Amino acid sequence: MNNFSFHNPTRIEFGQGQIAQLSQLLPANARVLLLYGGGSIKRNGAYNQIIEALGERVCHEFGGIEPNPEYETLLRAVALARQEKLDYIVAAGGGSVIDGAKFVAAAVPHQGDPWLIIGNRTPLHSALPIAAVLTLPATGSESNFAAVITRRATQDKLSFKNPLVFPQLAILDPTLTYSLPARQVGNGVVDAFVHTTEQYLTYPNEARVQDRLAEGILQTLIEIGPQTLAEPTDYDARANLMWAANQALYGMVGLGQPQDWATHAMGHELTMLFGLDHAQTLAIVLPALWRYRLASKMAKLAQYGRRVWGLSGDDAVVAVAAIERTEAFFTQMGLPCRLGAYQLDAQTAADGVAQQLIRHQRTRLGEAQDLSPQDCRAILITAA
């Protein structure tokens, strides 16, 4: 196991009705910027609960944050916060809204070019505090310090990380997920699944607790994924989905572990170029990448196949079968694993992604930093 440091300062309030905790946990004199997406919080009950909990606090709303939060939109939220001297952000939604809130929180007090925040190209000295009210379990953004932001004008979808943007508070109420469309539920399950495998499925590194934690998350997602689609108001299933998605990217799974993240690097470019849902791109890339890297990932794929899927046989047989089981699970969740299922030409997609990776200087990917843009091109061609 490698050396590591770990600190997570986010307070989590989990369960039905926990939005009411905002009334006690936010400063009484907070001037709040309420950020949300397309308005689903006004249909699922979250909005009314938030407004009631905020009470007499000053609150200005900013809606319309996109599924891949866009830089230009977020700059308007920054301008509103500065104009109204707002000093606390409540982000109500899924990972995109919360990611957007992290950028806004960092940009409001920042004196320089806010675009340099993305990619960690400028130091941050302060950020507005954030409370996250989660309505779409997927990314774990509600209790980590990472965000991904899109700038459509320049065809960039890039991340930044900074401990200053850890949400101070995360409220996880599984009942807020009952009204989610099946597509978003399936996306959330697959997103959480791939977050886990990016940190787990590399090569053995004697991080036994982390391995078992990862395997438990994956088994849970496999068990409750179909159930969440079939029975949207099953509280226990939704609660386990919400917690599994949180823990997938809470920070514990990857401690002391080699990590991959090549699937996400390629997936971000596919989303930027072709408009696919983030999770759809992960479902396309992951099985293809595993097949391409079968030799180097053999030991961990076999471990995954035996422990998560209950497979038996020699390593090669189990590894291949584990990839097939994963593909079948993603398809069951409504996410096909081939570019053709999304009407995309593999050659065009592969060339575009390789070019974007070169432009973004992502030329050494994977746990061994030996995956080139040409390797990524070859991987995508196999996902035709």
Side-chain angles (χ1 to χ4, degrees):
M1 192 189 316
N2 302 335
N3 292 358
F4 62 83
S5 299
F6 179 72
H7 174 67
N8 190 311
T10 303
R11 174 173 180 153
I12 296 175
E13 296 288 341
F14 190 99
Q16 187 169 1
Q18 291 293 71
I19 289 177
Q21 296 286 348
L22 288 172
S23 64
Q24 301 298 318
L25 297 177
L26 264 62
N29 61 349
R31 296 177 61 83
V32 175
L33 173 62
L34 174 57
L35 294 179
Y36 55 90
S40 63
I41 66 166
K42 295 185 177 180
R43 297 188 294 273
N44 64 20
Y47 175 85
N48 288 341
Q49 293 180 62
I50 291 168
I51 295 301
E52 181 178 354
L54 291 178
E56 299 302 314
R57 295 174 179 86
V58 172
C59 179
H60 290 265
E61 300 176 22
F62 186 93
I65 294 177
E66 301 85 358
N68 294 289
E70 298 200 5
Y71 177 70
E72 293 80 5
T73 301
L74 298 174
L75 287 182
R76 298 201 302 273
V78 171
L80 174 62
R82 288 174 173 172
Q83 176 185 321
E84 300 297 337
K85 297 181 171 55
L86 307 179
D87 58 17
Y88 206 110
I89 298 175
V90 174
S96 293
V97 172
I98 300 168
D99 281 10
K102 291 174 180 176
F103 173 79
V104 174
V108 168
H110 186 66
Q111 297 299 311
D113 179 359
W115 180 240
L116 295 180
I117 294 170
I118 313 304
N120 301 103
R121 293 169 293 160
T122 187
L124 298 178
H125 304 291
S126 64
L128 301 187
I130 301 168
V133 178
L134 184 66
T135 64
L136 173 55
T139 70
S141 187
E142 66 276 6
S143 60
N144 65 44
F145 64 104
V148 180
I149 307 299
T150 295
R151 192 172 188 178
R152 194 164 299 282
T154 54
Q155 288 198 314
D156 292 317
K157 183 176 180 180
L158 301 170
S159 66
F160 78 98
K161 297 179 179 180
N162 195 290
L164 291 170
V165 299
F166 264 114
Q168 290 189 354
L169 172 65
I171 294 174
L172 282 64
D173 180 346
T175 66
L176 298 178
T177 73
Y178 287 175
S179 60
L180 287 172
R183 174 174 170 174
Q184 290 184 319
V185 175
N187 281 351
V189 170
V190 170
D191 199 6
F193 197 99
V194 181
H195 285 157
T196 306
T197 60
E198 292 276 36
Q199 302 165 84
Y200 159 73
L201 216 150
T202 54
Y203 53 83
N205 199 48
E206 281 297 323
R208 300 189 186 198
V209 172
Q210 294 91 314
D211 275 2
R212 293 292 189 183
L213 177 58
E215 290 153 3
I217 292 169
L218 296 173
Q219 286 177 314
T220 299
L221 291 168
I222 290 165
E223 289 169 359
I224 56 90
Q227 194 173 353
T228 61
L229 291 180
E231 303 175 45
T233 59
D234 183 322
Y235 182 86
D236 290 333
R238 290 299 171 110
N240 278 285
L241 170 57
M242 187 167 264
W243 191 233
N246 175 276
Q247 289 297 291
L249 214 50
Y250 182 75
M252 297 284 286
V253 170
L255 294 179
Q257 291 273 50
Q259 299 186 31
D260 189 340
W261 297 106
T263 295
H264 271 72
M266 287 184 267
H268 286 168
E269 303 299 359
L270 283 171
T271 293
M272 186 68 258
L273 292 172
F274 304 106
L276 297 183
D277 295 348
H278 173 59
Q280 290 174 338
T281 69
L282 303 181
I284 292 166
V285 176
L286 185 69
L289 182 145
W290 282 354
R291 289 191 174 98
Y292 189 83
R293 305 278 277 186
L294 185 62
S296 63
K297 290 183 180 287
M298 178 76 73
K300 218 54 184 292
L301 276 167
Q303 177 180 315
Y304 161 70
R306 293 188 180 102
R307 292 187 181 179
V308 175
W309 291 106
L311 302 171
S312 60
D314 64 34
D315 282 2
V317 170
V318 171
V320 171
I323 298 171
E324 292 171 351
R325 290 288 188 95
T326 305
E327 273 193 320
F329 175 63
F330 289 172
T331 302
Q332 183 183 16
M333 296 308 300
L335 286 82
C337 300
R338 301 291 173 178
L339 289 160
Y342 304 94
Q343 291 74 55
L344 290 181
D345 175 71
Q347 192 80 46
T348 302
D351 289 344
V353 167
Q355 291 166 12
Q356 284 282 91
L357 290 172
I358 292 169
R359 186 168 74 85
H360 289 140
Q361 300 180 349
R362 306 295 306 277
T363 57
R364 296 173 63 84
L365 299 175
E367 59 267 28
Q369 295 289 285
D370 61 351
L371 202 67
S372 71
Q374 287 308 308
D375 288 314
C376 296
R377 180 180 176 277
I379 287 167
L380 288 172
I381 286 175
T382 69

